[in-house]
Amino acid sequence: MITLERLTKRFGGTTAVDGLDLTIGSGRVTGFLGPNGAGKSTTMRMILGLDRPSSGRALVAGKPYASLRRPLREVGALLDAKAVHPGRTGRHHLLAMARSNAIARRRVDEVLAAVGLTEVAGRRAGTYSLGMGQRLGIAGALLGDPGILIFDEPVNGLDPDGVRWIRGLMRDLAAEGRTVFVSSHLMSEMQLTADHLVVIGRGRLVADASLHEVIARGAPRDTTGRVTVRCPDPAQLAALRHRLAGRSVTVLDAGADRLTLAGVDPADVGDLAFAMGIRLHELSVGTVSLEDAYHRLTTDSTEFTAAPAAREGR
Ligand code: ADP
């Protein structure tokens, strides 16, 4: 478990993290979302004792990181895959980490195998691709067999197989009862990986809810379906949009030749287009994605504020 208590970080006049009150529970993958500059990395750095909070505190397994005697055994982290001495081999990098935390040498070979780096473990880390660097960082996080894992944008630089692999790994780690806290800007990836989401904006909590709940909150109340309309004539599409506006339809997205709508029956859109003599190239139904929900959540801050439990602490 990770606990944040009114965690705040100011850099000069910038408040990067602003009074976060939060518990990140075990046995599930918690996705950490927010636009660039929202304060995700700073929050993670404070959890790991790399940045000192201006006020408040962050606890891992009930203690400040700095007070952990063997930190790698409590919490494993991948923050910056390039934070490895380029002249050291992958194996030596892990051996040095293991030694400083009284971890057996054979564990190094286990984690190298677990991340698929056994064959290149004798090569200098400076020659690794970005994806291999990510895998080495993940091996380091797993080294102490910790109950808490923190990953900052772990799929960056991974190929599609690597992305699938890390998704499975995170889900397995959570299924074993561990706390998995992972930041990402890839909504589609988070939708497949996370059980729970923490969304922040400008350092403040925007949502702390299950994936399901965030999608439901981001979806219009009367439907979870979305309708995509494509029309080759922008003027006709604008006319259709204008007529639909009177019918309490939500426009999730609009382009020159495309509208994505919610809260409307596709048959009504088709009938209306037919009656107006509008030529359609597509009329399709999909489900509301986390990306849609996230967009509404972060742009419509009056409708979606922090959960009451989180606000009470302020
Ligand atoms: P995210 O990870 O969500 O993109 P960050 O935590 O990196 O956000 O940054 C949050 C805010 O804090 C940004 O405005 C960023 O410019 C600022 N910031 C982060 N680190 C520093 C630093 N070392 N010095 C000054 N400002 C910083």
Side-chain angles (χ1 to χ4, degrees), residues 12-32:
T14 307
T15 303
V17 176
D18 193 357
L20 285 187
D21 263 313
L22 196 59
T23 298
I24 299 138
S26 59
R28 65 189 186 192
V29 177
T30 300
F32 194 23

Side-chain angles (χ1 to χ4, degrees), residues 184-206:
S184 182
H185 66 280
L186 300 171
M187 299 298 135
S188 51
E189 190 47 42
M190 278 291 112
Q191 192 166 1
L192 293 172
T193 312
D195 308 290
H196 195 88
L197 295 176
V198 169
V199 184
I200 63 170
R202 296 175 190 216
R204 293 196 181 178
L205 194 65
V206 175

Side-chain angles (χ1 to χ4, degrees), residues 11 14 16 35-42:
F11 293 107
T14 307
N36 279 341
K40 301 182 297 298
S41 297
T42 304

